[in-house]
Amino acid sequence: MSKGELEVLLVDAKGLAGADVIGKIDPYVVIQYRDQERKSRIARNQGRNPIWNQTLKFPVYSSAINNPIQHKLTLRIMDYDTVTADDFIGHATIHVGEVIASGMEKGIAELQPTKYRVVLEDKRYHDTGMASSVLMGALFLSSMVVFAFPDDARAEHAGTTRHYSFDIRMANVSRLCATKSILTVNGEFPGPRIVAREGDRVVVKVSNHVPHNVTIHWHGVRQLRSGWADGPAYVTQCPIQTGHNYVYNFTVVGQRGTLFWHAHVSWLRATLYGPIIILPRHGVPYPFAKPYKEVPIIFGEWWKADTEAIISQALQTGGGPNVSDAYTINGLPGPLYNCSAKDTFKLKVKPGKTYLLRLINAAVNDELFFSIANHSVTVIEVDAVYVKPFDAETIVISPGQTTNVLLHAKPTYPSATFFMMARPYATGSGTFDNSTVAAVLEYRKPYSSSAAGFDKNLPLYKPTLPAFNDTSSAANFTGKLRSLATALFPANVPQTVDRRFFFTVGLGTRPCPKNQTCQGPNGTMFAAAVNNISFVSPTTALLQAHFTGKSSGVYTPDFPVVPLMPFNYTGAPPNNTMVSNGTKLVVLPFNTSVELVMQDTSILGAESHPLHLHGYNFFVVGQGFGNYDPVNDPAKFNLVDPVERNTIGVTAGGWVAIRFLADNPGVWFMHCHIEAHMSWGLRMAWLVLNGRLPNQTLPPPPSDLPKC
């Protein structure tokens, strides 16, 4: 039995009339339905009379969960207490003993009055889409139900504390004709969504039940004065060891939109990831028309082999890691791969409706192009920051980035279905997974008498995606991104700069160990570096070493602010491609305004690098091709409405300039979000010192901070 109390809202999809669904229902269930034209009615079991204008709370037993069947009503259940395995996440069946059909609309009265398909919503998850494997007895389903926006009449007050339990467990999952054991959260793949409102506190207890050290990073969350909860291993914390747990505790401040969480140890994020959905504060409208429904679209990568074995072998041999076997959409590879027709995500829509698609690139090593056949979308947000809306037929999205788009369904039934497809945008000289993932966009057939309302015997259209190396298409898309820059959603770009930095980012080599044959360029080992410093991970967390004053032997505060040996960065590569190794940090006083130019290099071939900065958003004030010109390029900077992000692709064979205000004390990781490059050392960290005031100071670590 769930320990919490649940509130049930029954919504009539066709509009309420007369005596809709009033009668006897199962024990321990209360039904409230809203009549927008009339008053609310509440009916209760045990033969009691309906009560007007009240909300009743009640316990519900998990035995009420059965297989879903079709119905035109939606039931949403909110959990007011801690989420447990017995809570309702997924689908269920409510058995109604008696229904008064008088006055019902045509269609509802024709349905069987004894069983109703319902969709359950947890108060924190707002989850009517991703089914819980604990309750449903299966992993992620082949089609995911879209979920409605929360109703203000039943939503929680601002500043709610939302509790989650993440149990890291192994689970067997079958894809591409093969079954393997993967790391999951609560047995789900992809993992459960985190839902919060701006201003909410989020508390997640992570328990490690697998034979790997684990951390979870809340990608894009600012973590203001909560750096202990950021998650990168050996940067802000030591990993959670097998059999141990850690409570991540942070507050969402000044953010709303789509982010995601993922593991931040080695390549564990290949299967440990899930969405973060941040809703606006109550009373703060969206800067666009409210969509009919919203759907997370999470891009991932799938390997038949164990990803930990793949990266371990690559680091030992010095060669490139084996590429993935497939891309996935919401964990499913789709019909273009072998044995995968049944593992296809389907987005089912109604003509004339607008859907908010929350795109998340959780892929391990690849930037992606994404398009929907015969449809354009309106881009409205990136990295949980609103942008000036613009229409696009193709989206480019790098690992670590999120993009919200509005899909306007065709006004009339199109008598066709449409592929939603993604394939890589790859600029490097190495091998990559040059395959395509597909999902299906289906339209509900009007006036259909069938249970599903969808016709499977329709023509299927495919989109035209850019070539895998089409940098101009990628640059054309990113060049259109501009902050909303309104009074309610301003672009607070630093207009003056206290510290300027110039970082080269790119690949290099390191010597092959004696008595070993290596598979990198010319018998060396692949490496990657920022300003030719390849990051060496410490054995003690950087933040802990800083906070306790025991940094000696852990890191040095002398990261170079410019390349120590300048060269023609995008021209002919230098003769010496070897990198240096070290654990070096940049130290910034509190409230320092920073301008950072990141320059791609062509040492082993020009390549796009999506750089992610923890603990901050930044403004992309400029970008271009070739070598950065410190004399002429700053005059072209956009200091009015530049896009604000947490992850930006450094242009292949080019540069990008960002600005941010260092107003968040702590140690903050910055790294390429292509996992192979990060494994080779394309990472560094910023140490932001405390300010003078208490609210400018990092609090002490929590008592359960993991030990190394």
Side-chain angles (χ1 to χ4, degrees):
M1 183 176 69
S2 173
K3 297 180 180 179
E5 289 185 325
L6 303 177
E7 179 184 72
V8 182
L9 176 68
L10 187 64
V11 180
D12 185 336
K14 298 189 69 173
L16 299 171
D20 282 341
V21 192
I22 299 178
K24 296 178 181 179
I25 29 185
D26 282 354
Y28 304 102
V29 175
V30 174
I31 288 183
Q32 175 187 7
Y33 76 87
R34 288 186 60 159
D35 187 336
Q36 300 297 337
E37 291 79 30
R38 301 177 180 84
K39 296 180 179 179
S40 297
R41 292 186 184 181
I42 300 176
R44 196 173 185 183
N45 63 311
Q46 300 173 345
R48 299 186 183 181
N49 292 327
I51 305 172
W52 293 72
N53 297 324
Q54 285 190 20
T55 299
L56 302 178
K57 298 178 181 179
F58 55 94
V60 174
Y61 291 100
S62 60
S63 60
I65 297 179
N66 295 296
N67 293 326
I69 61 173
Q70 186 68 26
H71 195 270
K72 290 186 172 65
L73 301 182
T74 299
L75 178 66
R76 296 185 180 88
I77 296 181
M78 286 83 66
D79 185 345
Y80 281 77
D81 204 271
T82 303
V83 178
T84 70
D86 291 329
D87 287 334
F88 291 81
I89 304 170
H91 304 286
T93 300
I94 298 297
H95 298 268
V96 180
E98 179 181 354
V99 174
I100 301 175
S102 173
M104 290 186 178
E105 298 88 355
K106 183 179 179 181
I108 292 183
E110 295 174 353
L111 294 173
Q112 296 181 6
T114 56
K115 286 189 177 182
Y116 293 87
R117 177 180 184 271
V118 298
V119 182
L120 303 172
E121 176 173 299
D122 182 273
K123 190 67 174 178
R124 278 164 305 282
Y125 285 91
H126 296 283
D127 194 344
T128 64
M130 293 185 178
S132 166
S133 62
V134 175
L135 300 179
M136 300 298 295
L139 285 172
F140 197 90
L141 301 179
S142 62
S143 64
M144 184 175 67
V145 181
V146 295
F147 62 99
F149 282 84
D151 192 302
D152 288 343
R154 57 191 165 83
E156 67 290 345
H157 298 290
T160 296
T161 298
R162 299 172 181 265
H163 293 271
Y164 294 86
S165 293
F166 275 23
D167 287 322
I168 313 298
R169 298 186 181 278
M170 305 301 294
N172 290 329
V173 177
S174 297
R175 298 288 187 271
L176 308 178
C177 312
T179 299
K180 74 171 186 175
S181 184
I182 66 170
L183 277 74
T184 70
V185 169
N186 302 341
E188 300 177 45
F189 174 67
R193 70 187 64 174
I194 296 286
V195 177
R197 285 194 181 275
E198 180 184 350
D200 283 352
R201 178 173 166 235
V202 177
V203 179
V204 186
K205 182 179 180 180
V206 177
S207 302
N208 185 3
H209 305 285
V210 300
H212 298 276
N213 289 343
V214 171
T215 70
I216 301 294
H217 170 51
W218 318 97
H219 184 109
V221 175
R222 279 292 315 272
Q223 298 290 2
L224 289 168
R225 299 179 63 241
S226 57
W228 305 108
D230 191 41
Y234 301 107
V235 178
T236 60
Q237 67 168 96
C238 298
I240 306 168
Q241 299 178 32
T242 304
H244 292 74
N245 54 64
Y246 179 49
V247 176
Y248 292 90
N249 189 336
F250 55 89
T251 299
V252 179
V253 179
Q255 294 180 280
R256 78 293 302 167
T258 303
L259 298 171
F260 72 117
W261 58 264
H262 60 79
H264 215 301
V265 177
S266 188
W267 281 26
L268 299 186
R269 75 174 183 88
T271 59
L272 280 179
Y273 60 84
I276 299 176
I277 297 170
I278 306 172
L279 303 169
R281 292 181 184 273
H282 287 296
V284 178
Y286 295 101
F288 47 84
K290 187 176 180 180
Y292 175 65
K293 296 202 174 172
E294 63 175 290
V295 191
I297 303 290
I298 312 173
F299 304 107
E301 283 185 89
W302 183 266
W303 280 260
K304 293 181 181 179
D306 177 16
T307 51
E308 289 304 283
I310 287 172
I311 184 55
S312 177
Q313 180 186 36
L315 294 177
Q316 289 176 8
T317 64
N322 292 340
V323 302
S324 57
D325 296 295
Y327 299 103
T328 59
I329 292 179
N330 291 337
L332 303 170
L336 302 184
Y337 296 101
N338 289 337
C339 304
S340 300
K342 62 181 178 56
D343 294 327
T344 301
F345 172 71
K346 295 181 179 180
L347 175 60
K348 301 181 179 183
V349 300
K350 294 182 178 181
K353 300 295 185 181
T354 298
Y355 294 79
L356 173 61
L357 307 185
R358 298 180 178 268
L359 309 180
I360 299 168
N361 190 347
V364 175
N365 288 320
D366 290 282
E367 301 178 270
L368 295 169
F369 288 118
F370 172 71
S371 183
I372 305 174
N374 294 10
H375 291 73
S376 63
V377 295
T378 303
V379 180
I380 54 170
E381 175 208 304
V382 294
D383 292 0
V385 180
Y386 296 131
V387 298
K388 290 182 172 66
F390 66 93
D391 293 338
E393 292 185 357
T394 301
I395 303 296
V396 63
I397 184 168
S398 297
Q401 292 183 337
T402 62
T403 303
N404 279 8
V405 300
L406 296 177
L407 170 65
H408 306 285
K410 295 182 181 299
T412 58
Y413 182 67
S415 298
T417 55
F418 308 91
F419 265 150
M420 307 161 56
M421 296 171 61
R423 76 178 181 198
Y425 164 52
T427 54
S429 57
T431 58
F432 63 96
D433 178 1
N434 192 17
S435 63
T436 303
V437 61
V440 177
L441 176 67
E442 294 184 347
Y443 277 77
R444 181 178 291 276
K445 196 172 184 179
Y447 312 114
S448 172
S449 59
S450 68
F454 297 96
D455 191 341
K456 298 181 179 180
N457 300 313
L458 292 173
L460 177 61
Y461 292 97
K462 298 181 180 180
T464 300
L465 287 164
F468 72 87
N469 58 353
D470 191 345
T471 295
S472 62
S473 290
N476 180 57
F477 175 81
T478 57
K480 294 179 181 178
L481 296 170
R482 293 286 186 273
S483 286
L484 209 52
T486 63
L488 191 58
F489 305 107
N492 296 316
V493 190
Q495 298 296 308
T496 59
V497 175
D498 298 322
R499 298 283 305 276
R500 285 184 166 85
F501 300 87
F502 182 81
F503 290 175
T504 57
V505 294
L507 305 186
T509 59
R510 59 171 51 96
C512 186
K514 292 182 179 180
N515 302 319
Q516 181 177 332
T517 300
C518 293
Q519 299 176 3
N522 300 316
T524 64
M525 304 183 78
F526 272 113
V530 181
N531 271 357
N532 208 47
I533 305 295
S534 186
F535 185 85
V536 176
S537 182
T539 56
T540 299
L542 299 175
L543 183 58
Q544 192 169 4
H546 161 66
F547 192 87
T548 58
K550 299 178 180 179
S551 62
S552 178
V554 179
Y555 67 84
T556 57
D558 57 349
F559 191 90
V561 299
V562 295
L564 299 180
M565 298 181 63
F567 61 98
N568 182 4
Y569 306 114
T570 57
N575 293 329
N576 183 6
T577 62
M578 295 293 175
V579 301
S580 300
N581 301 314
T583 309
K584 300 176 181 290
L585 277 60
V586 173
V587 179
L588 296 173
F590 184 83
N591 249 14
T592 300
S593 59
V594 175
E595 180 180 287
L596 168 63
V597 175
M598 291 180 284
Q599 172 74 59
D600 181 39
T601 69
S602 59
I603 292 177
L604 293 182
E607 185 168 359
S608 176
H609 297 281
L611 266 292
H612 171 51
L613 175 60
H614 289 228
Y616 288 92
N617 281 354
F618 50 76
F619 293 94
V620 184
V621 296
Q623 51 192 329
F625 292 102
N627 293 339
Y628 172 69
D629 183 346
V631 175
N632 296 311
D633 284 333
K636 308 170 189 174
F637 284 179
N638 176 8
L639 303 181
V640 178
D641 63 348
V643 66
E644 183 179 352
R645 310 204 68 142
N646 63 62
T647 304
I648 182 64
V650 178
T651 308
W655 56 271
V656 63
I658 66 173
R659 288 187 180 184
F660 65 94
L661 185 66
D663 59 354
N664 192 12
V667 176
W668 303 107
F669 214 18
M670 190 177 80
H671 59 88
C672 182
H673 222 274
I674 293 176
E675 211 67 29
H677 296 174
M678 190 172 81
S679 299
W680 290 336
L682 212 166
R683 41 187 169 153
M684 55 83 64
W686 306 78
L687 168 55
V688 179
L689 302 175
N690 287 332
R692 297 179 179 179
L693 302 177
N695 65 353
Q696 300 172 343
T697 301
L698 178 69
S703 59
D704 63 340
L705 185 71
K707 295 178 173 57
C708 287

